[in-house]
Amino acid sequence: MRFYVVLGLVCLAALTANADKDLRQVFKDWKVQFSKNYGGGLRNELARFRQFKKSAQTIEYINSIQSDWVAGFTLFADMTDEEKAAFTGLKLNDTASEPSVEYGPSPLDPTDPEKQYWDMGPVKNQGSCGSCWAFAGVGAMEGMHLKEHGEFRDFSVQTILDCAFEGYRDGCKGGWSESAIRWAGSDSRISNSEDYGYLPLQQDNKYKGRDGECTDLKKPYNNALRRAKPYAYTAEIPSRTDAGLQHALATQGPIIVSIYSSWALPFYTTGTYKGTGCGENPTPNHAVVVAGYEKDYWYVKNSWGSWGYSGYAYFSRGWENLCSISSRRKILEWRPNENWKICTDTHPSERTPCDSSANLNQEVCQARGCCYDSNYAGTAAQCFIKGKVTIYDGEGKRRVLYASAEEFSQFEFSYYGKAAQVEIGSWKLFVEDDYYGDYKIIKPEDGKVTFDFQSVQILNN
């Protein structure tokens, strides 16, 4: 009997060794995929592999208890629970006394579309700095800028991290998304204007993953937030339901929400997440942006890089307030700058220099680089004509592209020259006509196009 027991143990050890060998290859490939390079020598490498093995057991367990979503080896696979927690960072305002939220389904607004998606900026990665609050705030502002003005802005999260709590709090130790938006919208020390806020582009102040000094107060970067003055506030108690969240998405744009990131969520790869590990109405610890919805799910933009569907996740709507997604919604109020002028307020990277050799009758906005020809005769290369195009599709969805000059609201570019191809998201406003070698307007089926005129470049005939 003892012989058989020993033999069984030997076989089990052999199987374990083979499993470890296979997992080491998975670990090796995973390190390449996520560019993991460990310092500290072999000891640290072994410690990370042991954590990887624990994650493998967790992943296997998650996939064994449900089949709605797939857990896998994400960027978190070698991290401890404490390290994973650093990728959140939401702080709830415990000083504000709020009446309790009564959870439960409420009637949907029959005027809401069955589905809605908002165009968003690229997914970013907050890293191990607890700055989800800043990423959610910036992500919502990028989405609103694109929605309202048709222009994408890759705003700087680092400026928010450095400045929103300057002097009294480390932003990597958590914060509040409304603080990010209010700082960008109301810090008149930098914008020096009642019409617009202040926030530079990511390319001007890159993310460092740590809270630094707010140098913007001393020497501001070029301002990319001159189109509006944003403000944020918490949704009213009665609307903090799934129905209220849907209506906000349908009518307002992308929405900042607070969720509970459970022990299981970091391993999400595909499928519809149904709250594994969330429990009932847990206290939120992470800020994200809901960028859209359909009947069965919310479309959630995270700040964990390529995690999930290229940074996004589908959260089930099968349970009311899944992972507290509806309970602490932030409303982003977008206050457009009514005095916005292209020649003074356009970001320097978007200004078009004139061709001085063309000898055109030009009206130039000082020396800022944007210009247009007031008496175009169709004989030479021209500068960019700025304007506005608004498009509505058959479902009433709107796309707007701005950079306006009223003088060209009735400009017949199809007669005078070629229009440069312009795209708004997946919408192509102008495409080349192979037969005539020119460009033509594409109108959405059963929709309409209105011109106030916009971003058309006249080329040589």
Side-chain angles (χ1 to χ4, degrees):
M1 178 66 69
R2 182 176 301 171
F3 171 78
Y4 289 112
V5 171
V6 172
L7 181 60
L9 291 175
V10 170
C11 291
L12 180 60
L15 289 174
T16 303
N18 287 334
D20 267 6
K21 183 178 180 181
D22 293 340
L23 191 59
R24 285 185 184 279
Q25 184 60 49
V26 173
F27 181 58
K28 182 178 179 180
D29 295 339
W30 173 87
K31 286 194 300 178
V32 173
Q33 179 183 354
F34 290 96
S35 302
K36 297 277 186 172
N37 296 302
Y38 304 123
L42 181 60
R43 178 175 296 180
N44 190 32
E45 179 90 9
L46 291 174
R48 289 297 173 181
F49 178 67
R50 283 195 294 271
Q51 188 60 49
F52 193 82
K53 286 178 65 175
K54 291 181 181 179
S55 294
Q57 295 170 353
T58 301
I59 291 167
E60 183 179 6
Y61 171 71
I62 292 172
N63 292 331
S64 70
I65 62 173
Q66 56 80 45
S67 59
D68 299 301
W69 63 280
V70 178
F73 293 104
T74 64
L75 74 160
F76 297 101
D78 66 340
M79 298 184 193
T80 64
D81 291 341
E82 292 76 15
E83 288 172 327
K84 290 196 285 284
F87 278 72
T88 56
L90 175 68
K91 296 294 181 182
L92 297 181
N93 190 351
D94 297 327
T95 62
S97 58
E98 294 182 343
S100 61
V101 181
E102 293 184 5
Y103 301 106
S106 57
L108 295 173
D109 191 316
T111 65
D112 292 345
E114 292 184 358
K115 61 181 179 180
Q116 178 70 276
Y117 290 93
W118 296 108
D119 296 328
M120 301 292 291
V123 173
K124 302 179 176 72
N125 191 343
Q126 69 179 80
S128 57
C129 166
S131 52
C132 66
W133 59 274
F135 280 83
V138 167
M141 286 189 282
E142 289 175 348
M144 288 298 292
H145 202 288
L146 190 54
K147 169 184 176 287
E148 294 296 326
H149 311 302
E151 297 172 343
F152 167 64
R153 292 290 181 276
D154 189 3
F155 288 130
S156 170
V157 177
Q158 189 63 43
T159 285
I160 294 296
L161 185 60
D162 289 344
C163 301
F165 304 131
E166 179 74 347
Y168 70 94
R169 181 183 181 82
D170 184 344
C172 279
K173 293 184 178 179
W176 307 269
S177 295
E178 61 266 39
S179 298
I181 295 168
R182 290 175 182 175
W183 186 92
S186 62
D187 198 325
S188 58
R189 289 175 294 171
I190 301 179
S191 69
N192 195 31
S193 173
E194 294 297 322
D195 295 324
Y196 52 82
Y198 166 80
L199 203 55
L201 293 178
Q202 174 87 357
Q203 66 189 38
D204 293 332
N205 191 13
K206 295 180 174 61
Y207 185 63
K208 303 178 183 67
R210 63 181 184 277
D211 190 344
E213 180 186 358
C214 185
T215 57
D216 304 55
L217 293 171
K218 302 175 181 177
K219 186 179 180 181
Y221 297 94
N222 286 318
N223 189 5
L225 187 56
R226 289 177 178 262
R227 296 304 299 262
K229 199 173 185 67
Y231 185 77
Y233 58 91
T234 303
E236 295 181 358
I237 291 291
S239 70
R240 295 190 205 175
T241 61
D242 284 7
L245 178 56
Q246 173 179 303
H247 188 60
L249 283 164
T251 58
Q252 297 169 10
I255 302 294
I256 300 170
V257 298
S258 303
I259 65 169
Y260 176 67
S261 174
S262 76
W263 56 269
L265 186 61
F267 299 109
Y268 172 88
T269 59
T270 59
T272 302
Y273 182 66
K274 292 194 174 181
T276 307
C278 275
E280 186 176 352
N281 302 325
T283 301
N285 59 3
H286 190 44
V288 295
V289 180
V290 181
Y293 69 86
E294 291 200 20
K295 179 181 178 181
D296 297 326
Y297 56 75
W298 308 111
Y299 188 52
V300 177
K301 180 184 180 183
N302 206 342
S303 52
W304 293 345
S306 61
W307 167 92
Y309 289 92
S310 300
Y312 288 81
Y314 295 97
F315 271 55
S316 173
R317 296 183 63 180
W319 287 266
E320 177 75 14
N321 194 36
L322 182 73
C323 301
S324 301
I325 195 169
S326 304
S327 62
R328 296 179 184 268
R329 185 173 78 250
K330 303 301 177 184
I331 303 298
L332 177 53
E333 183 177 328
W334 200 254
R335 304 169 178 175
N337 174 10
E338 300 297 338
N339 297 313
W340 185 85
K341 299 182 184 302
I342 183 171
C343 289
T344 57
D345 294 331
T346 303
H347 192 270
S349 66
E350 298 171 333
R351 295 172 187 162
T352 307
C354 294
D355 182 1
S356 59
S357 65
N359 194 27
L360 301 173
N361 180 14
Q362 297 170 345
E363 296 182 15
V364 183
C365 301
Q366 301 175 4
R368 295 182 178 273
C370 60
C371 63
Y372 58 87
D373 176 16
S374 61
N375 293 298
Y376 174 62
T379 58
Q382 309 294 295
C383 303
F384 278 90
I385 300 168
K386 304 293 184 178
K388 170 184 172 183
V389 175
T390 304
I391 298 181
Y392 296 88
D393 67 7
E395 298 178 350
K397 294 180 182 176
R398 179 171 67 103
R399 296 290 187 278
V400 181
L401 185 63
Y402 282 89
S404 189
E406 294 180 1
E407 290 82 354
F408 290 96
S409 60
Q410 304 298 323
F411 190 76
E412 298 181 26
F413 68 89
S414 59
Y415 174 78
Y416 290 112
K418 295 180 179 179
Q421 178 169 312
V422 181
E423 295 187 11
I424 307 178
S426 61
W427 293 37
K428 294 184 178 180
L429 304 189
F430 307 106
V431 295
E432 189 167 7
D433 187 320
D434 294 332
Y435 184 79
Y436 292 103
D438 201 347
Y439 288 78
K440 62 182 180 180
I441 304 172
I442 298 298
K443 294 186 178 181
E445 185 177 355
D446 299 324
K448 60 181 180 178
V449 179
T450 59
F451 290 89
D452 184 18
F453 213 79
Q454 188 86 331
S455 195
V456 175
Q457 181 186 26
I458 304 302
L459 308 174
N460 286 331
N461 279 340

